Amino acid sequence: MLTMIVYYHCKAGARNEFVKEIAAADIAAKCRAENGCKQYDYFLSLDDEDTLLLVEKWASEEAQKIHMTTPHFQQLSSLKERYVERVGIEKILHE
């Protein structure tokens, strides 16, 4: 299994709009419906109003790689270009 913790550091004041657009596009539900997706959840930082956290769990690295080819992943990438300054990613491989 692969767990990914993604930190979206949004442009100043842009996090809420980013969250609204993600919700309007139903990106989380589309990701959860993918083969191999075990978890796909967003969380708001209480300490930083410009940070959004995503926790993804995939059955395998291959499932996550396939996820990156989907239309909704491309849509999320477009949203990131508008709202996000930088992204931090932690990957954890589980047996």
Side-chain angles (χ1 to χ4, degrees):
M1 184 171 340
L2 170 66
T3 299
M4 294 186 58
I5 303 168
V6 183
Y7 301 88
Y8 293 114
H9 301 280
C10 297
K11 297 174 184 175
R15 182 184 73 183
N16 289 343
E17 281 303 310
F18 184 44
V19 169
K20 285 179 189 176
E21 295 238 18
I22 290 169
D26 210 17
I27 288 176
K30 290 173 183 173
C31 294
R32 288 184 197 116
E34 288 181 54
N35 188 30
C37 183
K38 303 296 184 187
Q39 179 182 359
Y40 197 95
D41 292 301
Y42 289 96
F43 300 91
L44 300 177
S45 171
L46 295 178
D47 297 324
D48 183 349
E49 65 186 26
D50 294 321
T51 297
L52 179 66
L53 176 72
L54 168 63
V55 177
E56 317 177 40
K57 290 187 180 179
W58 297 92
S60 66
E61 288 183 276
E62 183 62 28
Q64 197 274 332
K65 287 179 185 175
I66 292 169
H67 159 69
M68 295 187 336
T69 68
T70 63
H72 48 275
F73 182 86
Q74 299 307 317
Q75 187 176 16
L76 178 60
S77 295
S78 293
L79 293 174
K80 288 190 295 189
E81 288 178 18
R82 289 198 319 229
Y83 296 108
V84 177
E85 280 185 347
R86 70 185 190 287
V87 177
I89 299 174
E90 294 179 33
K91 290 185 179 183
I92 306 164
L93 287 172
H94 308 271
E95 302 263 336

